[in-house]
């Protein structure tokens, strides 16, 4: 079974600054996908970014980018120019070949004005 | 597209009562997942269906929990009898098998008193 670990229960960042959220995972598969989801207080699960394991290029979505290190099984999320609306819980998730999604424990991000 | 629709949004019930949570997946999606989110255990996969057939229910906590998908547009998660430790947010998600993209509903917050 796969496991996903987020070692930072809480992170804080100043508005307009950059923050990086960490995620590591354990798997013996070679074909998988990785995701970052955002969960604001409304509790809606919002897809932030996704990365295919077979792609070496790191995914980017506007202010959000990832640092995918396949050999190290690391998948961190960088948020640039942080905004107040970025404050939320962030979950790293692993999707296996059987289409089952496993989540990390989450990181609560606070953004200071 | 209305997205994945869950009802009710909130449910408060007394211990021992039967609770039924409902989910309508996105039209055309053929995989459906039920997740439970608690502070202690995070997001856990309870069960998932492909083409209305249960594929993996190993995450269902005990016999008090049951899930059905009578057709492609409707699924239920039932707890009978409910207990206070079942209090959680229950999410439904759907996808097209093989596309690697989940869409989550807004969740049902269940409180058992």
């Amino acid at each position: 079974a796969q496991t996903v670990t987020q070692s930072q229960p809480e992170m804080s960042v100043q508005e307009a600054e950059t923050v990086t959220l960490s995620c590591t995972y354990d798997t013996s598969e070679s074909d998988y996908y990785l995701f970052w989801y955002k969960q604001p207080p409304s509790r809606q699960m919002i897809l932030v970014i996704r990365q295919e394991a077979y792609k070496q290029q790191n995914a980017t979505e506007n202010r959000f980018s990832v640092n995918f290190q396949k050999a190290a099984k690391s998948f961190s999320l960088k948020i640039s120019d942080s905004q107040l609306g970025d404050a939320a819980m962030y979950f790293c998730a692993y999707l296996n070949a059987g289409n089952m999604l496993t989540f990390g424990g989450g990181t609560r991000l606070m953004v200071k004005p | 597209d209305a997205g994945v629709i869950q009802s009710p949004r909130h449910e408060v019930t007394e211990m021992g009562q039967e609770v039924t949570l409902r989910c309508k997946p996105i039209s055309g999606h053929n995989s459906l997942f039920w997740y439970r989110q608690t502070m202690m255990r995070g997001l856990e996969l309870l069960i998932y269906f492909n083409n209305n057939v249960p594929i993996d229910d190993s995450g269902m906590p005990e016999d008090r929990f049951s899930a059905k998908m009578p057709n492609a547009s409707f699924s239920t998660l039932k707890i009978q009898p409910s207990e206070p430790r079942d209090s959680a947010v229950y999410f439904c998600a759907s996808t097209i098998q093989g596309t690697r993209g989940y869409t989550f509903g807004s969740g049902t917050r269940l409180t058992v008193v």
Side-chain angles (χ1 to χ4, degrees), chain A residues 1-4 92-96 100-104, chain B residues 35 43 102:
Chain A
Q2 295 81 28
T3 58
V4 179
C92 178
Y94 174 102
L95 186 71
N96 66 10
M100 291 174 61
L101 197 60
T102 301
F103 287 90
Chain B
Y35 282 85
L43 281 150
Y102 279 41

Side-chain angles (χ1 to χ4, degrees), chain B residues 54-66:
Chain B
I55 302 300
D56 187 338
D57 65 354
S58 59
M60 296 285 263
E62 47 197 276
D63 292 345
R64 298 184 297 107
F65 286 69
S66 62

Side-chain angles (χ1 to χ4, degrees), chain A residues 19-95:
Chain A
V19 65
T20 298
L21 308 184
S22 301
C23 173
T24 58
Y25 58 96
D26 186 25
T27 184
S28 57
E29 297 180 331
S30 58
D31 179 24
Y32 53 88
Y33 287 66
L34 296 163
F35 301 85
W36 279 97
Y37 280 90
K38 171 185 179 181
Q39 187 180 39
S42 67
R43 78 171 182 247
Q44 181 70 45
M45 296 291 287
I46 301 166
L47 178 63
V48 174
I49 198 165
R50 81 175 203 175
Q51 174 80 43
E52 294 90 335
Y54 63 86
K55 289 187 176 179
Q56 292 187 342
Q57 186 174 5
N58 289 323
T60 298
E61 289 287 343
N62 300 314
R63 298 183 294 108
F64 299 87
S65 61
V66 299
N67 183 3
F68 173 46
Q69 301 290 327
K70 191 173 183 179
K73 297 179 182 175
S74 170
F75 183 61
S76 61
L77 174 70
K78 186 172 79 171
I79 306 174
S80 303
D81 186 25
S82 297
Q83 300 175 0
L84 295 178
D86 294 334
M89 285 290 292
Y90 285 82
F91 292 94
C92 178
Y94 174 102
L95 186 71

